[in-house]
Amino acid sequence: MGASETRQQIVDVADRLFYEHGFNATSFANIAKDVGLSRGNFYYHFKTKDEILDAVIARRMTNIRAMLDAWEQDAESPAERIRSFVHILITNRTKIMAHGCPIGTLCNELAKLDHAAKGDAARLFSLFHEWLARQFAALERETDADALALHILMRSQGVAALATAFHDDDFICREVADMEAWLQAQCPTASLPNSSQPA
Amino acid sequence: MGASETRQQIVDVADRLFYEHGFNATSFANIAKDVGLSRGNFYYHFKTKDEILDAVIARRMTNIRAMLDAWEQDAESPAERIRSFVHILITNRTKIMAHGCPIGTLCNELAKLDHAAKGDAARLFSLFHEWLARQFAALERETDADALALHILMRSQGVAALATAFHDDDFICREVADMEAWLQAQCPTASLPNSSQPA
DNA sequence: CGATGTTTAGGGCAATCGTCCTACGATAGC
DNA sequence: GCTATCGTAGGACGATTGCCCTAAACATCG
């Protein structure tokens, strides 16, 4: 097996373990076991644990970009695209109730560790933030698009946090519906399913 | 110095360190150094690290109860009390931007560690949830008091999460104002400052 | 085939982890 | 002054941490 494939595999496993158990609680040994490598051999692929973290953040960066691009293509309207974002709360609810939001929990942990990469982790949020702001701008809300985007990002974070604490399916669905209603109220000219189309 | 005073001091320091650096990242040695005790002597006061965690959660439990009781006494109306809750986001914004919400981040970490005390940590949220629900019930919203309470708790969690990631003072103030407006809209009969009193 | 460069396993490194024990200083009652 | 109890200091314990080295297996190519 080539080094780049192995490296990729390490990052895949590390990504999952960092999400499920946190960065600090995941050791070289844990990753090595799941990848099927010997502990000591890690040094060949990654000099330090922080290097793995950087690679994981970079991987998430590209994955998020790909997801946003897919929504950009699949959804017909900006409002539909925002709806796609909101709905990951329902799609991923099982994982969220178990381990929280992958980005939010990582940012929190790195902030507490005062880790050098905490700014890079926050950049993952910025990807969503800027993308959402572009959607709101397309909905004739150019002046407050940033604030609206931050607001919906904040709501999804809050839902994820309480979902982890309470494991309440109904709460998630209720808040998602509330976000959709809020979205509809913010952009009454936007076309949404189950709503009358503007003339 | 008596054992109970020392024990109390340990819990105080552990509470702060768990908040600032997380539970897992805080070692016996860290706590001992800040308290001014030798590492080994910890066994006399706490058999295990989990025991310290339990004591910290219990301490937070009583502190929160005291805070809620104080709001119950100081604020004149249920709406004013809810406002008191929302405003801790502004009062504690410096610490929140540095280390997040003490409860939310603890629940997230314990969930990832699959720790036995994760349910106890979630009970801290329940204290706020039930208290807020009582306030909404007093505002003639008995039927959906639970959902409203959970909604405002979710919002404060979301604000705390993004505040930690972005370190944005204006965002916090904006969202707090938005929560107050929402509160006003939910309970139009409630008396709030800077608003016309009902006839 | 032999030579060359890549990837691997295995283990050692000092440090730190949570836990536990024992011996000592202080205090108080008899 | 003697003894018993309380609180502490200091360090040992096995395990695990992140990190690093070495030697062998590997593939590739002249």
Side-chain angles (χ1 to χ4, degrees):
Chain A
M1 185 187 299
S4 75
E5 288 100 324
T6 304
R7 198 190 143 97
Q8 185 65 32
Q9 210 181 342
I10 291 173
V11 177
D12 288 359
V13 169
D15 191 351
R16 200 193 79 237
L17 291 181
F18 287 174
Y19 175 43
E20 291 178 356
H21 310 297
F23 169 69
N24 217 2
T26 301
S27 67
F28 275 70
N30 297 140
I31 303 171
K33 203 183 84 177
D34 276 29
V35 176
L37 288 179
S38 66
R39 286 145 275 119
N41 192 28
F42 257 85
Y43 184 66
Y44 178 79
H45 298 280
F46 293 96
K47 304 290 188 212
T48 68
K49 198 180 172 186
D50 292 350
E51 247 182 69
I52 303 183
L53 177 60
D54 291 341
V56 166
I57 292 176
R59 180 196 135 103
R60 292 191 185 184
M61 213 90 176
T62 65
N63 284 353
I64 289 169
R65 268 193 256 264
M67 185 168 65
L68 295 177
D69 286 350
W71 289 342
E72 198 97 30
Q73 298 232 323
D74 294 355
E76 312 230 328
S77 69
E80 269 295 315
R81 290 178 193 141
I82 300 173
R83 244 177 68 100
S84 299
F85 167 76
V86 171
H87 264 259
I88 53 175
L89 282 170
I90 291 180
T91 308
N92 298 342
R93 67 184 184 278
T94 305
K95 285 189 175 184
I96 289 173
M97 288 191 289
H99 314 108
C101 166
I103 305 171
T105 54
L106 181 65
C107 284
N108 271 327
E109 182 176 5
L110 296 185
K112 284 198 198 266
L113 297 176
D114 200 20
H115 194 283
K118 67 180 176 181
D120 296 330
R123 277 287 305 155
L124 297 170
F125 268 143
S126 297
L127 279 184
F128 284 104
H129 178 212
E130 289 156 13
W131 184 87
L132 286 167
R134 280 201 300 276
Q135 308 309 319
F136 278 109
L139 287 169
E140 304 171 27
R141 296 295 293 261
E142 295 87 356
T143 57
D144 56 354
D146 255 39
L148 292 170
L150 221 45
H151 179 81
I152 214 161
L153 202 58
M154 164 241 121
R155 282 216 200 185
S156 62
Q157 280 302 296
V159 171
L162 289 197
T164 308
F166 291 134
H167 296 87
D168 188 338
D169 262 304
D170 293 340
F171 162 72
I172 299 176
C173 294
R174 199 191 323 133
E175 288 295 340
V176 166
D178 204 59
M179 286 169 79
E180 289 179 349
W182 173 86
L183 184 61
Q184 180 86 356
Q186 289 301 313
C187 308
T189 65
S191 62
L192 278 172
N194 306 328
S195 73
S196 57
Q197 304 292 322
Chain B
M1 185 186 298
S4 74
E5 287 100 325
T6 303
R7 196 189 145 97
Q8 185 66 31
Q9 210 180 343
I10 291 173
V11 176
D12 288 359
V13 169
D15 191 351
R16 200 193 80 238
L17 292 180
F18 287 175
Y19 174 44
E20 291 177 356
H21 309 297
F23 170 69
N24 216 4
T26 302
S27 67
F28 275 70
N30 297 141
I31 304 172
K33 203 183 84 177
D34 275 29
V35 176
L37 287 179
S38 66
R39 287 145 275 119
N41 192 28
F42 258 85
Y43 187 67
Y44 180 80
H45 298 279
F46 293 97
K47 303 293 186 210
T48 68
K49 198 180 173 187
D50 292 349
E51 248 180 70
I52 303 184
L53 177 61
D54 291 342
V56 166
I57 293 176
R59 180 198 136 101
R60 293 191 185 184
M61 212 90 177
T62 65
N63 284 354
I64 289 169
R65 269 194 256 263
M67 186 169 64
L68 295 177
D69 285 350
W71 289 342
E72 196 97 29
Q73 298 231 323
D74 294 355
E76 312 229 327
S77 69
E80 268 296 315
R81 291 177 193 141
I82 299 172
R83 243 177 69 100
S84 300
F85 166 76
V86 171
H87 264 259
I88 52 175
L89 282 170
I90 291 180
T91 309
N92 298 341
R93 66 184 184 280
T94 305
K95 286 190 175 184
I96 289 173
M97 287 191 291
H99 314 108
C101 165
I103 305 171
T105 53
L106 181 66
C107 284
N108 270 329
E109 183 177 4
L110 296 185
K112 284 198 197 268
L113 297 176
D114 201 19
H115 194 283
K118 66 180 175 180
D120 295 331
R123 278 286 304 155
L124 297 170
F125 268 143
S126 297
L127 279 184
F128 284 103
H129 178 212
E130 289 157 12
W131 183 87
L132 286 166
R134 280 200 300 277
Q135 308 310 319
F136 279 108
L139 287 169
E140 304 171 27
R141 296 296 292 260
E142 296 88 353
T143 56
D144 56 353
D146 255 39
L148 292 170
L150 221 45
H151 178 82
I152 214 161
L153 202 58
M154 163 240 120
R155 282 217 200 185
S156 61
Q157 280 302 295
V159 172
L162 289 197
T164 309
F166 291 133
H167 297 86
D168 187 339
D169 262 304
D170 293 339
F171 162 72
I172 299 177
C173 294
R174 199 191 323 134
E175 289 295 340
V176 166
D178 204 60
M179 286 169 79
E180 288 178 349
W182 173 87
L183 185 60
Q184 181 86 355
Q186 289 302 312
C187 308
T189 66
S191 61
L192 277 173
N194 306 328
S195 73
S196 58
Q197 304 291 322

